[in-house]
Amino acid sequence: MEKKAWHSQQRCLFPLFVATFLLSQFLVPISYAQIDDSFRQPPRPLVNTPHTRSSSDPQQVHISLAAKDHMRVSWITEDKKVKSLVEYGRVARKYEATAEGTHTSYHYFFYKSGQIHDVQIGPLEPSTTYYYRCGGQGPEFSFKTPPQAFPIEFAIVGDLGQTEWTQSTLQHMNNSDYDVFLLPGDLSYADSQQPLWDSFGRLVEPYASSRPWMVTEGNHEVETFPIIYPQGFKAYNARWKMPHEESGSNSNLYYSFDVAGTHVIMLGSYTDFDSNSDQYHWLRTDLAGVNRQRTPWIVVLLHAPWYNTNTAHQGEGESMRKSMEELLYNARVDLVFSGHVHSYERFTRIFDNKADPCGPMYITIGDGGNREGLALMFKKPTSPLSLYRESTFGHGRLRIEDGSRAHWSWHRNNDSDSVVADEVWLDSLATSCDCRDDNNKSIPKSASDHAVKDDL
């Protein structure tokens, strides 16, 4: 009797479970993205990138910076018996070294991922092309390591997605060489539809397998579901492992790394950030450990912008700003990049809603090519803190020439050719006599004297 009742319950619960899962495919994107079609330009169609290799061949290959002079190689195979092995060398098809790593996989409702391989290779020489093969078979890939010293160039794109706009952005970006790719959140726009993670990995493979991709999470990576997946980021953490352990972080959602005299910090907008949080304490320790003589530039990336004059996503980064902004200001961070708002906007140097020559320059670059379209409406009148703003898809490039000078440019990509629409030269705050804090005081008088308040 009890066995019959149990089977009866199972028959009742299974349709409910299926219905709940199907609803999640629609409800999760809406709850996190909060789309308002009244001010979004219609996007181009979604691009589906199929798997065309054998089940044992690598797919979705991408690389990222790992420990000093090392590179992490990640890829997926459908065949679970393929070894987590990378052969590599400086001559095509002649591999002088081999490294082994680990593998994992994950379930998300009825979806089961392929075998996700993770291998660190090195030590590697700077500014050197390496050829490599994953799993002992399949196609050969190659990448160029970043330089050891200046100059260095970063390509920066937020809210990438996988549409025809995404393809345009990546093609324009790839027309000119760069050393490291930075992405401040919202990668695949899978929104719990796990096969879209696979399609995204295949779409970006030609780019992400040849230059290191350093990413942080956005709201579209959260993918929580009550009771079943309360923590979120299951796919993101499994597929896009970043060097958090190497930088002393206990979470893949925030980390830092050094490259060619630049300290890059990736913060998490969707994990705890208040003054009692692990992220806050990690950030304070990380910033305190930067030697500005050896590392004259500090660049920060996060997803939800702290400063924003677009009508979209107003105030969503405010609580994080109030918690962490002073840490960045006291450390003389040079630039803060964000995404989330699907437009481009460049601000002057700011601290606490005031123009301040010792504060970071804030740039929103959430215009990579997402499926939701552009955020077209800006607040009026224009704030004097906002120096350039435009709702167009595009990408940015930060070229750091030396320890004191850098050039930022934003490239509009809705034209047949990529066009430089905004550019500016900037000086490192580490070289500014007015902003130097020799006694480690929180706010030097020279900076606060120049502060001019303005409401965004």
Side-chain angles (χ1 to χ4, degrees):
M1 192 71 177
E2 289 180 0
K3 186 174 182 181
K4 184 176 180 181
W6 184 85
H7 282 295
S8 177
Q9 282 183 326
Q10 291 294 98
R11 285 195 297 271
C12 293
L13 288 172
F14 184 73
L16 177 62
F17 175 77
V18 173
T20 302
F21 168 68
L22 293 175
L23 280 172
S24 75
Q25 306 303 295
F26 301 97
L27 292 178
V28 171
I30 294 172
S31 64
Y32 283 107
Q34 298 182 3
I35 303 166
D36 182 354
D37 291 330
S38 65
F39 61 87
R40 293 203 189 275
Q41 179 180 330
R44 288 180 178 176
L46 191 72
V47 174
N48 179 37
T49 309
H51 179 36
T52 57
R53 300 175 190 146
S54 74
S55 61
S56 55
D57 282 343
Q59 58 164 307
Q60 307 176 50
V61 179
H62 62 269
I63 63 173
S64 56
L65 300 174
K68 180 176 172 56
D69 301 327
H70 284 67
M71 196 76 73
R72 171 177 280 108
V73 182
S74 302
W75 75 96
I76 294 178
T77 57
E78 294 176 352
D79 186 351
K80 301 293 193 292
K81 297 180 181 178
V82 175
K83 292 183 178 180
S84 300
L85 174 79
V86 174
E87 303 162 281
Y88 62 100
R90 284 169 284 195
V91 179
R93 298 294 175 186
K94 293 183 178 180
Y95 307 123
E96 59 195 47
T98 301
E100 295 187 15
T102 61
H103 60 263
T104 187
S105 62
Y106 72 94
H107 285 84
Y108 193 89
F109 289 99
F110 301 121
Y111 172 89
K112 188 178 190 310
S113 75
Q115 197 88 316
I116 303 171
H117 303 267
D118 179 273
V119 178
Q120 289 195 37
I121 62 175
L124 307 173
E125 295 294 323
S127 301
T128 303
T129 298
Y130 285 87
Y131 300 86
Y132 65 103
R133 187 171 64 173
C134 304
Q137 62 186 75
E140 181 179 72
F141 301 90
S142 67
F143 64 80
K144 185 180 179 182
T145 54
Q148 189 173 31
F150 302 121
I152 183 170
E153 185 156 335
F154 300 91
I156 305 176
V157 180
D159 299 70
L160 194 55
Q162 45 189 315
T163 70
E164 290 180 0
W165 280 120
T166 309
Q167 286 183 315
S168 173
T169 298
L170 292 173
Q171 289 166 3
H172 287 317
M173 179 189 74
N174 212 47
N175 286 339
S176 182
D177 197 17
Y178 60 94
D179 299 300
V180 180
F181 178 85
L182 304 177
L183 200 164
D186 281 1
L187 284 70
S188 70
Y189 281 76
D191 290 315
S192 300
Q193 301 175 67
Q194 298 303 304
L196 288 179
W197 275 109
D198 295 310
S199 177
F200 175 79
R202 292 188 286 264
L203 172 67
V204 304
E205 182 190 83
Y207 313 95
S209 62
S210 62
R211 293 294 183 274
W213 275 40
M214 311 305 293
V215 306
T216 189
E217 84 282 2
N219 54 305
H220 288 274
E221 278 74 64
V222 176
E223 297 185 321
T224 55
F225 193 86
I227 301 175
I228 303 173
Y229 300 115
Q231 302 303 319
F233 304 107
K234 192 164 190 178
Y236 173 79
N237 283 334
R239 295 171 181 268
W240 290 86
K241 187 174 181 181
M242 293 289 116
H244 67 278
E245 293 171 341
E246 294 88 336
S247 61
S249 167
N250 62 8
S251 170
N252 194 49
L253 303 180
Y254 52 90
Y255 63 96
S256 67
F257 61 94
D258 291 326
V259 58
T262 307
H263 187 68
V264 181
I265 300 174
M266 300 294 226
L267 295 179
S269 295
Y270 300 95
T271 186
D272 290 342
F273 46 70
D274 63 77
S275 59
N276 295 317
S277 67
D278 288 344
Q279 181 175 199
Y280 181 94
H281 292 296
W282 169 84
L283 176 60
R284 185 172 59 187
T285 301
D286 185 81
L287 288 169
V290 179
N291 184 324
R292 296 304 288 271
Q293 291 184 332
R294 292 198 304 263
T295 314
W297 292 89
I298 303 180
V299 177
V300 171
L301 289 91
L302 49 89
H303 189 61
W306 294 357
Y307 293 99
N308 168 34
T309 71
N310 197 289
T311 58
H313 300 299
Q314 271 294 314
E316 291 185 21
E318 182 64 5
S319 56
M320 189 179 189
R321 181 193 72 80
K322 289 181 177 178
S323 175
M324 291 184 159
E325 184 181 26
E326 191 168 356
L327 291 178
L328 271 55
Y329 179 76
N330 291 343
R332 298 295 180 255
V333 167
D334 296 287
L335 287 147
V336 177
F337 293 96
S338 62
H340 200 40
V341 176
H342 298 163
S343 63
Y344 170 73
E345 185 167 19
R346 176 172 60 85
F347 293 86
T348 187
R349 293 190 177 278
I350 302 175
F351 173 64
D352 194 22
N353 287 291
K354 308 173 187 70
D356 191 313
C358 300
M361 178 181 291
Y362 287 84
I363 295 175
T364 301
I365 189 158
D367 55 350
N370 65 88
R371 59 175 166 74
E372 297 171 352
L374 294 162
L376 299 175
M377 294 178 63
F378 287 95
K379 294 165 66 177
K380 295 180 180 179
T382 303
S383 166
L385 299 180
S386 178
L387 303 181
Y388 189 100
R389 55 188 193 175
E390 181 178 331
S391 296
T392 310
F393 290 114
H395 76 279
R397 305 183 83 93
L398 176 65
R399 180 176 175 82
I400 301 179
E401 296 288 353
D402 52 40
S404 60
R405 294 282 280 167
H407 180 260
W408 165 254
S409 58
W410 176 68
H411 301 243
R412 182 190 300 125
N413 81 340
N414 67 337
D415 308 286
S416 56
D417 296 312
S418 180
V419 175
V420 177
D422 181 43
E423 59 182 328
V424 64
W425 284 91
L426 59 154
D427 298 323
S428 168
L429 293 180
T431 63
S432 170
C433 294
D434 288 340
C435 300
R436 191 171 297 149
D437 185 11
D438 296 327
N439 295 319
N440 210 22
K441 295 177 182 177
S442 60
I443 303 176
K445 189 173 186 294
S446 57
S448 58
D449 284 350
H450 290 88
V452 178
K453 184 174 177 59
D454 186 80
D455 294 326
L456 289 172

